């Protein structure tokens, strides 16, 4: 499996971050950074990461099944995450999530057929003082209203 | 970047460089006192550094509030094993968004705090574990680390002082449990984020079974100012037994939500009305969570006379926690709040031990019934009893974190549960702008 030169550089740096007999420490970061390129954790990626670290693929699977941000099925190019945890709930997060479901025609952890958008109702993302909060891929959006969300989505549709 | 206006009532110690242009750059840090306390630490013995931290009364800012100086003192001096520094930047306690602000605005303050801790225990390497959602912070942190290497504040023979220290970032991948210190270490070792049996504590057998200092981001960020001011003077910023300042996240139904640096012992009333500009719409406060959703919930009237410190909150039957203050006004549906909180713990339970895994899911089911008004009065008792049965019976404190808010909400707001069952409108005024109005 070939990665981009940037990812190769990142992986090299990553593997140098841990004692040489502790390469397994690089597992989760390697999956996270590689997933940004592959979209999700494919079978091929599991095997590649296992090979690079020098562990059996089953040890990679053990980890992939534990962490919410490691995806085992394709996500959209734009992964929209709406927080409905307590501070967001109090400021309209639930209505915002329902609105987003309708806007995108998707439910929790669903990906649109054309692969452009996917949606997820997420737990607290650390934006509680500027709630309700949304993340699209890794970008944060604060004080999001349904109107603001529509605007965000429509803009992304245009650039797509 | 600052996401809210600072308040004139803040005591800006950790956040004092925040308003400077390019506050995250090493040039700004160095021109404004950055790394000077590390140099001071190089001229101190390990005991002197630890004594200063003990004198400051600094208690861990990650939620448990354990005295930091004492924790550092637990590392075995004579151990032949390498020692590590691990920074807990997992920040996933609902209501909490302060470590993010610290790393984003002044990553060099964190690096300096880490270097001082490393001097105090003789560590040569450290990892900053940052939750996966905070990818942009990993970029900021890595840039700061690169700058520090380039200017000789990390690496070999730092500033010619004969000190070596290497620092790395490590991303999480979405798991609240990885904020728990032993699960964090498992995750850092490339495993599922499940807790380890303790003792041994990380101070003795932490990362790779080596002695490890593991603290919250804010705890490390407090250390440079402790050396600068002296432990005693730093302690005096707060109140006896609770030193210094704490980054406090005001969230929920308050006019000026935001992260503010307030001295320990700050009155709740002043915090809400003056720093936070009062409750939204001039309403009454129905409920108050002092520091993240794992704390027992207080009724508004219980909270008003309190002060924001460990002892006052403990006396009131709750905890100061992580600094994530959640304020709920009189329109809040407490049954729904209890359900949403339990939904989180059921989702985040790591599944390792049965009382937590089964208990949280069962409670979520009961609370769902009650929220829909289709339960029975026995369900209300069952929810309380079940939560009490989880207390102290789980492998790590996540079980308690799930049980405590439930027990307090069921006890203090029982009438709302009963009212929902009777399908009678709870006596809350209906405000059109409020998302949590109980409809008939
Ligand atoms: C379920 C659970 C989640 C936790 N999450 C965090 C967290 O996100 N950040 C944090 O600093 N501490 C968290 N803690 C507390 C840590 O276990 C640990 O006490 C803390 O990082 C120690 O640092 P301190 O003494 O500086 O507070 C959590 C604890 C539990 C039980
Ligand atoms: S509760 Fe939504 S970001 Fe914290």
């Amino acid at each position: 499996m070939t990665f981009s030169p940037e990812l190769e550089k990142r992986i090299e740096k990553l593997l140098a971050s841990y004692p040489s007999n502790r390469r397994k420490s690089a597992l989760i970061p390697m999956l996270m950074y590689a997933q940004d390129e592959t979209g999700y954790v494919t079978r091929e990626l599991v095997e590649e990461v296992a090979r690079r670290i020098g562990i059996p693929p089953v040890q990679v699977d053990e980890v992939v099944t534990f962490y919410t941000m490691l995806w085992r099925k394709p996500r959209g190019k734009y992964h929209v995450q709406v927080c409905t945890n307590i501070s967001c709930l109090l400021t309209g997060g639930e209505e915002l999530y329902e609105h987003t479901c309708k806007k995108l025609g998707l439910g929790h952890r669903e990906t649109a057929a054309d692969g452009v958008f996917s949606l997820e109702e997420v737990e607290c993302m650390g934006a509680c003082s500027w709630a309700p909060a949304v993340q699209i891929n890794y970008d944060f959006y604060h004080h999001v209203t349904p109107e603001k969300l529509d605007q965000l989505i429509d803009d992304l549709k245009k650039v797509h | 970047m600052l996401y809210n206006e600072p308040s004139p009532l803040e005591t800006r110690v950790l956040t004092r460089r925040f308003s400077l242009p390019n506050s995250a750059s090493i040039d700004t840090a160095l021109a404004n006192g950055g790394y000077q306390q590390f140099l001071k630490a190089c001229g101190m013995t390990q005991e002197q550094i630890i004594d200063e931290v003990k004198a400051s009364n600094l208690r861990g800012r990650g939620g448990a509030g354990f005295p930091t100086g004492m924790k550092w003192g637990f590392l075995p001096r004579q151990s032949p094993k390498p020692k590590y520094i691990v920074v807990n930047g997992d920040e996933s306690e609902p209501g909490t968004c302060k470590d993010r602000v610290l790393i984003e605005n002044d990553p060099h303050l964190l690096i300096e705090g880490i270097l001082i801790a490393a001097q105090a225990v003789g560590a040569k390497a450290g990892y900053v574990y940052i939750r996966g959602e905070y990818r942009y912070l990993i970029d900021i942190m890595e840039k700061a680390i690169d700058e520090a290497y380039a200017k000789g504040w990390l690496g070999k023979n730092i500033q010619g002082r004969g000190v070596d220290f290497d620092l790395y970032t490590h991303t999480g991948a979405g798991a609240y449990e990885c904020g728990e210190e032993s699960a964090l270490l498992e995750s850092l070792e490339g495993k599922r984020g499940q807790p380890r049996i303790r003792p041994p504590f990380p101070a003795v057998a932490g990362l790779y079974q080596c002695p490890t200092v593991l603290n919250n981001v804010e705890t490390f960020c407090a250390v440079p100012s402790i050396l600068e001011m002296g432990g005693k003077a730093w302690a005096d910023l707060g109140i006896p037994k609770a030193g210094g300042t704490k980054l406090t996240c005001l969230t929920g139904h308050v006019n000026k939500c935001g992260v503010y640096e307030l001295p320990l012992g700050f009155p709740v009333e002043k915090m809400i009305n003056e720093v936070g500009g009062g409750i939204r719409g001039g309403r009454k406060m129905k409920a108050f969570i002092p520091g993240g959703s794992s704390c027992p919930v207080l009724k508004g009237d219980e909270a008003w006379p309190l002060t924001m410190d460990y002892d006052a909150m403990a006396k009131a039957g709750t905890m100061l926690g992580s600094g994530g203050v959640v304020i709920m006004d009189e329109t809040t549906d407490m049954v729904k709040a209890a359900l949403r909180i339990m939904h989180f713990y059921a989702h985040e339970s790591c599944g390792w031990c049965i009382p937590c895994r089964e208990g949280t899911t069962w409670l979520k089911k009961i609370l769902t019934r009650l929220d829909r008004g289709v339960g029975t009065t026995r369900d209300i008792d069952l929810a309380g009893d079940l939560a009490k049965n989880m207390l102290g019976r789980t492998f790590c404190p996540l079980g308690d974190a799930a049980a405590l808010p439930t027990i307090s909400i069921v006890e203090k707001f029982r009438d709302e549960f009963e009212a929902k069952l009777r399908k009678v409108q709870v006596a809350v005024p209906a405000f059109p702008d409020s998302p949590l109005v109980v409809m008939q």
Side-chain angles (χ1 to χ4, degrees):
Chain A
M1 200 177 177
T2 47
F3 295 144
S4 72
E6 298 81 60
L7 181 56
E8 286 294 356
K9 235 175 89 193
R10 193 148 207 178
I11 289 178
E12 197 186 320
K13 188 173 165 193
L14 195 59
L15 285 168
S17 306
Y18 310 96
S20 51
N21 58 341
R22 300 289 183 178
R23 286 169 74 86
K24 196 178 169 188
S25 275
L27 177 54
I28 294 155
M30 201 187 287
L31 286 166
M32 284 287 281
Y33 297 133
Q35 175 184 261
D36 289 345
E37 223 157 71
T38 56
Y40 69 105
V41 182
T42 58
R43 201 60 230 156
E44 207 189 355
L45 180 60
V46 167
E47 275 157 26
E48 178 68 19
V49 167
R51 192 184 61 74
R52 286 178 184 238
I53 293 184
I55 52 175
V58 65
Q59 289 192 16
V60 181
D61 286 326
E62 273 174 18
V63 157
V64 175
T65 51
F66 185 84
Y67 294 92
T68 332
M69 289 181 78
L70 295 174
W71 275 63
R72 282 175 291 161
K73 56 179 193 176
R75 278 179 304 181
K77 179 174 172 198
Y78 302 110
H79 183 51
V80 182
Q81 301 143 79
V82 184
C83 174
T84 58
N85 208 317
I86 189 76
S87 305
C88 289
L89 179 79
L90 295 170
T91 47
E94 197 171 57
E95 291 69 18
L96 185 66
Y97 174 65
E98 279 159 16
H99 177 87
T100 317
C101 287
K102 279 193 214 117
K103 173 85 185 166
L104 294 174
L106 297 171
H108 177 56
R109 279 175 95 88
E110 280 179 8
T111 303
D114 63 3
V116 180
F117 288 100
S118 50
L119 176 63
E120 186 176 3
E121 177 183 12
V122 293
E123 298 301 344
C124 175
M125 56 172 78
C128 331
S129 283
W130 316 289
V134 168
Q135 246 191 318
I136 301 182
N137 298 340
Y138 289 114
D139 296 329
F140 278 91
Y141 299 91
H142 295 151
H143 301 299
V144 183
T145 56
E147 296 73 40
K148 209 165 145 183
L149 187 115
D150 285 349
Q151 189 66 50
L152 275 170
I153 305 251
D154 292 342
D155 289 350
L156 288 174
K157 273 187 186 154
K158 268 182 235 146
V159 298
H160 172 70
Chain B
M1 196 178 145
L2 296 174
Y3 301 111
N4 56 270
E5 284 291 311
S7 160
L9 294 165
E10 284 180 79
T11 304
R12 299 181 71 102
V13 179
L14 277 65
T15 59
R16 69 172 166 191
R17 291 200 290 251
F18 278 21
S19 327
L20 300 171
N22 293 324
S23 68
S25 83
I26 195 163
D27 293 333
T28 306
L30 286 171
N32 293 278
Y35 292 103
Q36 295 310 305
Q37 303 315 312
F38 163 65
L39 292 182
K40 187 191 266 182
C42 290
M44 294 166 75
T45 64
Q46 299 191 336
E47 290 75 19
Q48 282 170 333
I49 303 173
I50 293 178
D51 284 346
E52 212 60 63
V53 175
K54 281 185 180 160
S56 75
N57 281 339
L58 171 64
R59 295 172 62 166
R61 302 303 195 218
F66 193 84
T68 306
M70 197 194 291
K71 198 185 218 177
W72 293 8
F74 289 155
L75 268 82
R77 291 283 163 77
Q78 309 309 334
S79 169
K81 293 179 178 173
K83 300 181 182 71
Y84 289 104
I85 306 289
V86 174
V87 182
N88 191 340
D90 193 56
E91 185 153 82
S92 7
E93 174 72 19
T96 317
C97 48
K98 57 164 182 98
D99 297 338
R100 184 179 156 197
V101 173
L102 283 165
I103 296 179
E104 180 166 347
N105 291 290
D106 198 350
H108 291 285
L109 179 68
L110 175 58
I111 300 179
E112 187 177 3
I114 295 167
L115 284 170
I116 296 169
Q119 278 298 95
V121 300
K124 300 270 172 273
Y127 296 92
V128 186
Y129 186 106
I130 299 179
R131 66 180 297 184
E133 291 83 351
Y134 287 176
R135 173 64 63 83
Y136 83 105
L137 286 189
I138 293 178
D139 297 340
I140 290 173
M141 201 64 224
E142 292 203 335
K143 182 159 176 259
I145 290 174
D146 289 346
E147 287 177 334
Y149 271 104
K151 300 230 162 171
W153 293 99
L154 281 174
K156 294 259 175 292
N157 191 18
I158 297 174
Q159 302 295 313
R161 307 287 163 131
V163 175
D164 300 341
F165 192 78
D166 288 308
L167 187 63
Y168 311 97
T169 63
H170 184 103
T171 179
Y176 169 67
E177 177 58 9
C178 289
E180 193 283 328
E181 55 185 19
S182 66
L184 184 150
L185 293 169
E186 288 288 292
S187 180
L188 193 44
E189 293 182 7
K191 298 178 228 160
R192 291 166 77 88
Q194 285 162 342
R196 296 175 179 172
I197 198 145
R198 295 174 308 166
F201 289 94
V204 176
L207 183 61
Y208 311 134
Q209 295 300 314
C210 295
T212 302
V213 167
L214 195 156
N215 282 112
N216 173 257
V217 169
E218 187 184 353
T219 310
F220 285 107
C221 288
V223 173
S225 53
I226 290 172
L227 290 201
E228 185 181 358
M229 299 172 67
K232 174 77 178 60
W234 199 88
D236 289 343
L237 291 171
I239 53 165
K241 295 222 285 199
T245 60
K246 170 99 196 70
L247 267 69
T248 305
C249 324
L250 294 188
T251 81
H253 295 146
V254 68
N255 282 315
K256 293 187 205 157
C257 283
V259 178
Y260 304 99
E261 184 174 1
L262 304 175
L264 266 289
F266 203 84
V268 168
E269 204 261 351
K270 195 168 168 187
M271 175 179 79
I272 296 177
N273 285 339
E274 295 180 36
V275 179
I279 308 279
R280 243 172 237 194
R283 288 167 212 154
K284 283 210 180 79
M285 175 161 72
K286 184 190 269 188
F288 177 88
I289 307 179
S293 71
S294 304
C295 302
V297 177
L298 295 179
K299 281 192 159 186
D301 292 342
E302 290 177 282
W304 283 119
L306 299 178
T307 50
M308 292 296 286
D309 59 83
Y310 302 94
D311 288 352
M313 289 301 164
K315 225 181 270 162
T318 183
M319 309 182 290
L320 186 67
S322 62
V325 177
V326 185
I327 291 155
M328 302 182 227
D329 76 13
E330 57 195 310
T331 66
T332 310
D333 176 345
M334 294 308 293
V335 183
K336 189 164 194 170
L339 169 61
R340 186 60 187 84
I341 290 173
M342 188 52 63
H343 176 90
F344 169 73
Y345 291 104
H347 181 258
E348 298 297 337
S349 173
C350 78
W352 184 241
C353 72
I354 297 163
C356 176
R357 183 185 66 215
E358 301 302 319
T360 51
T361 305
W362 192 4
L363 274 168
K364 187 177 120 179
K365 284 184 190 158
I366 301 168
L367 290 168
T368 304
R369 282 205 294 275
L370 289 168
D371 179 51
R372 291 187 187 151
V374 295
T376 63
T377 338
R378 276 192 51 214
D379 280 330
I380 308 176
D381 298 326
L382 184 60
D385 289 348
L386 183 55
K388 281 187 198 138
N389 266 317
M390 279 166 67
L391 269 189
R393 293 198 174 85
T394 55
F395 207 82
C396 87
L398 194 146
D400 294 347
L404 289 168
T406 313
I407 295 169
S408 57
I409 297 177
V410 169
E411 270 172 12
K412 292 178 184 175
F413 300 96
R414 193 183 171 96
D415 53 329
E416 290 198 27
F417 287 82
E418 289 170 348
K420 258 203 177 173
L421 292 184
R422 290 194 307 269
K423 287 220 187 336
V424 182
Q425 169 116 17
V426 187
V428 290
F431 291 95
D433 59 327
S434 169
L436 279 183
V437 175
V438 185
M439 292 300 179
Q440 243 173 332

